[in-house]
Amino acid sequence: RVPFLFWLGINIKFPRELFYTYLHMRVATYYEKKKDIETTLYHYQKVKEYKSIAHLLQKNGLEMLRSGRLQTLYDLLADLPNDFKLVYPVLYFYQGEIERYRSLYEQAEQNYENIIKLIPKDDQDHYYLAGLAFEGKARIYLDTIQPDKAERYVNQAIHMREKAKAPKEEMAQLYMLMAENLLNAGQAVKAENWFDRANLLNLPLEESNLQARICLRTGKLRKAKEILVQRKKNTLATNTKHLPQSHRETDILLSIIEAFMGNAEESKKLASEGIQLGLTVQAPFVEACGWMRMGHAVQLLDNYNTELAVQCYETALEIMERINISRGKAEPYMGLSILYGKKLEYERAIENANQGLKETEKVNDRWLSALIKLSLCITEVYNHQYDQATETINQVRSDMISCGDRYGIMVTGFWGAYISLEKEDMETFKHEMGIFLQEVETEEYDFFLKSITTFGPTDLKNIAPMLLKAKQLGISPQLVSRLMYELGYDEGLSSHPGYTLVISTLGQLKVWLGTKKIEPHDWQREKAKELFELFITNRNKMLLKEEIFQYLWPDEEKKTANKKFKVTLNALLKAIEPQRKAREESFFIARNGGAYGLNPNTGYKIDILHFEEQINRGLEEKDPKRAKELIGKGLKLYQGEYLADLRYVNWCSSERERLQLLYLRGAEKMAQIAVRLFDFNLCIDWCERILAIDNTWEEAYRLTMYSYYQHNNRPQAIRWYERCCEVLEDELGVEPMEPTKEMYHLIIESENLNTY
């Protein structure tokens, strides 16, 4: 009307709002003809043209949903008055789907319910729309892995779609849902049948990693990994818009597979990517899954930080609590159970396992229940509750056979064999070891013996005596020989203690036999510990008995010293090899004629080697952030002076000084890096640590002065220079070096400049 009135020459003043509305409507009509739906909707929304918005969303909402334009669609739906959704009930479905993707499950379910209540049962549209709503509700319980609840809605969705004579593509998708739900209930064989039924229709389907999940839950780990890696490549190549998939996310699934296979770093990287994805797509359930998988990965790392792993699991639990998904707590409880079990905190481990089982048994997830029982079994083994552990193994094996999980069956075989060897029950050992080795060979589970895995032993040396015994008993001889060769065990090896000797020397000496710490009373006599410390200090050479006498009993006659040496050596061997049979050669202490020393071929772990490696790599690293990371790991290992209990013993003083100097160089580099990264407080902190050990370390004074200068605290910078002068004069009788004096003059001159 407006242009028509102007054409007639009638000059009428229209209200601004009316003209504004008129323009937006014209622009919206233009873009609608151009099929630019988002721009059209934008202009309609500006003038609250809800009827047109509802009509367009009803026609285009599904495409917007599938292409990942979730926020745009959700904003329009949330703004749309309810009256218009009553006219187009499918809009409730679109809103419910977005809320489901974002883990807003209660709101999503309410929107699906709105559809079911709205459509009259004698309406032809009822079957199709109700089918959508029931599918949405089913997906909520599939997302949160509650198979008992999901089953009813999947069946209702199939029934409604069949009555609506839905196209084959939609029926195939529902068959996939049925397969997934059966898989979640631990019925992998039935799940595979439904999966095949869907695929028989020969249609391109979005299967939400279902095939990989079937492989995971049936123990085909390599196949599952192969499928997911390929899927990831395809997704990157096509640049497909991502829709949240709850626990089915590719990175989330790959992370747990890598953990089961012992690839700790890769599992950690994938878990981190899963966390980031959850944050990016605003899907807290995905984020929580990332955190629990991060906890699994961290547990597999060398010298892992227990607190960090606990924090990962607790973050996952906190998110699940916040979004009210109780079922999602089961896996982090399982992780905590494994963690505390290996730390010998029996009660805490059992409590967490039971909490997890409470969640899985509530929804009848037999597979995850079996894994949690497996964590219980590991706890019982490490706490020497062998009879209880055997009972648990039998339950787990029954569940794993029912679920069709060969990996789980292999793991039960391992722990059954481990327990029976500990109990010296050779008949049971033959049976269990036979199961274990058969599954390893058939399913290619060699990685279980070569890397720390989620359900494997924390100390891979536990496997050595099991293989030796299998060799003696003729169990799978060719496979056992191959495995021993691949694991680096000598052909002539006749015995093995079954654990790694772990030695900590920075600070007071601490020694672990696998996970069991040697307590002070286990040494029987102090000289036994000192003899071990002598061997550690001279770990790269053999010591003649006469040399040992000079180090430990310098004032004794040779005959007396020799007698004391025999008693001391015997006490040492009892401490580090308590199960060694009489007259059997020591595994950890080598003897060559009259010379003795630490056997370098036993794979023992010692903190100083790791300390040196990390510091030296960090000192050579050019990138400051990477150098900071490497040196930080090394410095964390320095818990005190080398063998601090022997502070006044001469034969270890040079090693102590060498390691302390390396620590100081590392700390100096950390302070220098802190300056480069403008973290002056951190620089001051490291300099203070350096000066607490060596108060003549001049670079520490210089860096401290500079840091206070950068903080505009010139008086403090000057005081540190004065302290440097005093200490160097008192301790060494020298003046500060030129660079230190220049730093001082720079500070003084800047102070003078500020007075003008």
Side-chain angles (χ1 to χ4, degrees):
R1 288 176 191 167
V2 175
F4 179 67
L5 291 170
F6 277 108
W7 180 71
L8 291 174
I10 302 170
N11 189 5
I12 299 173
K13 288 190 177 179
F14 288 92
R16 184 186 296 270
E17 293 78 9
L18 184 59
F19 191 66
Y20 178 78
T21 302
Y22 163 75
L23 287 176
H24 275 292
M25 292 295 287
R26 284 294 302 272
V27 174
T29 305
Y30 170 80
Y31 280 110
E32 190 170 357
K33 286 177 183 175
K34 292 279 188 182
K35 301 194 182 303
D36 185 344
I37 302 304
E38 281 198 49
T39 307
T40 304
L41 287 166
Y42 168 79
H43 288 287
Y44 278 146
Q45 191 180 29
K46 281 290 184 182
V47 292
K48 303 188 185 303
E49 177 55 32
Y50 293 124
K51 183 178 178 181
S52 299
I53 290 172
H55 177 71
L56 275 175
L57 290 181
Q58 180 258 342
K59 287 173 62 180
N60 299 281
L62 187 60
E63 194 277 326
M64 292 177 73
L65 196 66
R66 286 175 176 168
S67 62
R69 289 173 282 172
L70 303 186
Q71 192 60 52
T72 301
L73 180 57
Y74 193 68
D75 289 344
L76 289 162
L77 289 167
D79 189 47
L80 196 65
N82 229 33
D83 291 349
F84 296 96
K85 293 176 190 172
L86 297 174
V87 177
Y88 301 110
V90 74
L91 300 182
Y92 283 120
F93 174 73
Y94 299 149
Q95 188 166 339
E97 285 293 274
I98 298 168
E99 287 162 347
R100 179 174 67 82
Y101 289 144
R102 292 180 173 174
S103 309
L104 302 169
Y105 296 116
E106 288 182 16
Q107 289 129 282
E109 188 161 21
Q110 184 56 57
N111 277 301
Y112 300 139
E113 277 293 333
N114 287 339
I115 295 174
I116 295 166
K117 289 174 185 173
L118 269 176
I119 309 298
K121 288 190 171 44
D122 57 353
D123 190 303
Q124 185 58 34
D125 288 340
H126 164 74
Y127 300 123
Y128 185 77
L129 287 171
L132 281 180
F134 285 128
E135 181 184 341
K137 293 186 76 165
R139 287 185 183 277
I140 287 175
Y141 296 113
L142 285 162
D143 286 356
T144 55
I145 321 176
Q146 300 184 65
D148 275 7
K149 292 184 177 181
E151 184 179 4
R152 171 189 165 196
Y153 296 115
V154 175
N155 282 321
Q156 285 178 306
I158 290 173
H159 175 67
M160 288 295 175
R161 292 288 180 84
E162 284 174 345
K163 291 192 79 169
K165 297 180 181 176
K168 287 194 300 183
E169 291 90 337
E170 295 185 16
M171 295 309 300
Q173 206 63 56
L174 289 174
Y175 296 159
M176 287 286 190
L177 294 190
M178 180 62 82
E180 181 177 359
N181 199 54
L182 287 164
L183 184 67
N184 289 345
Q187 300 180 55
V189 176
K190 288 184 180 178
E192 220 160 352
N193 290 338
W194 278 91
F195 182 78
D196 292 341
R197 182 176 173 183
N199 281 318
L200 281 173
L201 297 174
N202 291 317
L203 297 166
L205 295 172
E206 170 50 59
E207 49 106 348
S208 298
N209 288 327
L210 181 57
Q211 186 183 8
R213 292 183 60 231
I214 290 173
C215 290
L216 168 60
R217 284 187 170 229
T218 52
K220 302 183 185 85
L221 301 185
R222 292 185 190 278
K223 181 66 176 172
K225 179 177 174 178
E226 182 185 311
I227 292 166
L228 292 167
V229 168
Q230 187 58 51
R231 183 183 179 90
K232 195 167 179 178
K233 285 179 183 174
N234 293 344
T235 303
L236 288 170
T238 56
N239 198 26
T240 309
K241 189 72 177 177
H242 190 88
L243 292 175
Q245 298 184 75
S246 183
H247 58 280
R248 311 174 198 85
E249 292 291 352
T250 302
D251 287 341
I252 295 292
L253 288 168
L254 273 171
S255 178
I256 198 169
I257 290 166
E258 296 288 13
F260 282 10
M261 295 179 75
N263 300 321
E265 289 293 346
E266 188 61 22
S267 177
K268 182 183 171 189
K269 175 176 168 287
L270 289 159
S272 179
E273 288 170 3
I275 293 166
Q276 190 56 52
L277 175 64
L279 292 167
T280 302
V281 300
Q282 300 176 53
F285 193 96
V286 174
E287 184 194 347
C289 288
W291 280 114
M292 63 182 80
R293 303 288 156 85
M294 180 67 81
H296 302 337
V298 168
Q299 283 201 63
L300 305 181
L301 297 170
D302 284 338
N303 304 307
Y304 81 91
N305 184 336
T306 301
E307 297 306 318
L308 177 58
V310 170
Q311 190 179 346
C312 290
Y313 292 128
E314 287 182 347
T315 302
L317 289 169
E318 181 189 319
I319 294 171
M320 291 300 184
E321 179 69 27
R322 190 172 74 239
I323 61 177
N324 196 28
I325 307 299
S326 184
R327 161 62 184 82
K329 297 177 181 178
E331 192 179 319
Y333 279 135
M334 179 190 79
L336 286 168
S337 173
I338 295 170
L339 185 147
Y340 290 125
K342 290 176 178 177
K343 286 187 68 189
L344 307 184
E345 296 184 34
Y346 185 74
E347 296 301 329
R348 291 179 81 175
I350 298 297
E351 180 189 349
N352 278 283
N354 287 334
Q355 288 273 58
L357 283 172
K358 181 179 168 186
E359 299 299 339
T360 55
E361 290 174 352
K362 203 159 51 178
V363 298
N364 196 27
D365 185 346
R366 193 170 186 180
W367 181 73
L368 190 50
S369 291
L371 291 184
I372 295 171
K373 288 175 191 171
L374 200 48
S375 76
L376 260 177
C377 168
I378 293 168
T379 294
E380 289 157 354
V381 168
Y382 280 119
N383 288 272
H384 305 291
Q385 307 284 332
Y386 293 140
D387 291 340
Q388 185 60 48
T390 301
E391 190 179 317
T392 307
I393 281 172
N394 292 332
Q395 291 176 26
V396 174
R397 182 173 293 149
S398 173
D399 288 338
M400 289 300 183
I401 290 170
S402 174
C403 295
D405 184 353
R406 309 309 304 180
Y407 181 75
I409 294 167
M410 179 273 293
V411 177
T412 60
F414 171 81
W415 288 111
Y418 179 89
I419 292 166
S420 54
L421 187 61
E422 287 290 303
K423 294 171 72 176
E424 299 185 351
D425 178 355
M426 289 304 105
E427 281 305 308
T428 306
F429 175 78
K430 279 196 269 188
H431 173 70
E432 296 287 358
M433 196 67 179
I435 291 172
F436 170 63
L437 291 171
Q438 181 182 330
E439 295 298 335
V440 165
E441 185 169 34
T442 306
E443 302 297 333
E444 299 181 41
Y445 293 144
D446 296 30
F447 56 79
F448 187 83
L449 295 89
K450 298 171 182 176
S451 304
I452 304 296
T453 58
T454 304
F455 298 104
T458 53
D459 186 351
L460 292 176
K461 295 296 189 293
N462 290 164
I463 295 166
M466 295 169 67
L467 291 173
L468 284 170
K469 184 57 69 176
K471 184 180 177 183
Q472 291 170 17
L473 297 173
I475 306 168
S476 302
Q478 288 181 321
L479 175 61
V480 169
S481 294
R482 175 174 70 80
L483 291 173
M484 290 187 69
Y485 173 77
E486 289 176 2
L487 294 170
Y489 295 121
D490 191 272
E491 185 73 23
L493 185 68
S494 59
S495 66
H496 193 291
Y499 50 79
T500 302
L501 194 63
V502 182
I503 308 163
S504 176
T505 62
L506 295 168
Q508 299 293 326
L509 177 73
K510 295 172 189 169
V511 183
W512 289 266
L513 313 180
T515 56
K516 181 185 179 296
K517 186 180 178 183
I518 296 182
E519 301 297 341
H521 61 83
D522 293 325
W523 294 104
Q524 296 182 31
R525 54 187 65 224
E526 191 64 26
K527 272 298 184 201
K529 181 159 80 78
E530 193 174 336
L531 175 60
F532 187 58
E533 290 171 314
L534 179 65
F535 288 151
I536 292 168
T537 303
N538 295 276
R539 60 193 172 278
N540 296 321
K541 64 179 181 179
M542 303 285 280
L543 295 172
L544 292 168
K545 273 206 296 187
E546 289 71 17
E547 292 179 274
I548 297 170
F549 298 165
Q550 285 301 312
Y551 285 131
L552 301 186
W553 299 281
D555 301 325
E556 299 285 357
E557 292 183 3
K558 184 176 179 180
K559 187 176 179 180
T560 306
N562 189 45
K563 189 174 180 180
K564 288 185 175 181
F565 170 69
K566 286 180 180 178
V567 174
T568 302
L569 179 63
N570 188 49
L572 166 59
L573 296 180
K574 280 186 178 178
I576 63 174
E577 299 177 51
Q579 303 302 320
R580 187 176 63 93
K581 292 182 173 61
R583 291 183 295 281
E584 188 175 71
E585 285 292 318
S586 168
F587 183 75
F588 292 113
I589 304 300
R591 178 182 177 183
N592 185 3
Y596 296 80
L598 210 53
N599 185 347
N601 301 317
T602 56
Y604 65 82
K605 291 183 179 179
I606 187 165
D607 58 346
I608 50 179
L609 294 181
H610 190 50
F611 166 73
E612 288 180 73
E613 181 191 4
Q614 295 293 96
I615 299 291
N616 285 325
R617 282 178 63 197
L619 291 172
E620 293 167 7
E621 179 60 52
K622 304 300 180 192
D623 176 41
K625 289 185 179 178
R626 177 65 177 150
K628 181 182 177 184
E629 181 186 345
L630 290 167
I631 295 174
K633 286 179 182 176
L635 294 176
K636 197 171 183 181
L637 292 170
Y638 197 87
Q639 298 297 307
E641 291 182 342
Y642 175 72
L643 298 179
D645 56 315
L646 299 180
R647 187 171 286 111
Y648 304 109
V649 175
N650 289 333
W651 51 258
C652 63
S653 59
S654 60
E655 180 72 345
R656 179 177 299 117
E657 289 165 10
R658 183 183 73 82
L659 293 167
Q660 186 179 86
L661 179 62
L662 188 58
Y663 171 81
L664 292 169
R665 287 178 62 209
E668 178 185 286
K669 182 72 179 280
M670 283 291 273
Q672 291 167 342
I673 291 168
V675 168
R676 288 181 67 181
L677 298 175
F678 303 100
D679 190 345
F680 299 109
N681 287 328
L682 181 63
C683 175
I684 291 167
D685 178 54
W686 277 111
C687 289
E688 287 177 350
R689 295 192 209 188
I690 292 168
L691 294 170
I693 293 172
D694 184 348
N695 66 348
T696 65
W697 200 275
E698 194 169 339
E699 175 69 358
Y701 287 108
R702 196 156 48 243
L703 288 166
T704 304
M705 290 162 60
Y706 182 73
S707 295
Y708 277 115
Y709 168 66
Q710 288 297 322
H711 276 320
N712 292 320
N713 192 340
R714 293 177 183 80
Q716 192 69 351
I718 292 166
R719 286 190 198 103
W720 275 98
Y721 176 74
E722 291 168 349
R723 187 180 304 177
C724 174
C725 293
E726 289 171 14
V727 169
L728 292 177
E729 176 62 35
D730 293 345
E731 297 286 333
L732 305 175
V734 297
E735 292 183 348
M737 291 186 291
E738 282 306 311
T740 311
K741 292 178 181 178
E742 287 170 10
M743 178 69 67
Y744 171 69
H745 291 307
L746 171 70
I747 295 165
I748 293 295
E749 286 165 12
S750 66
E751 187 175 33
N752 292 336
L753 284 171
N754 287 338
T755 61
Y756 290 100

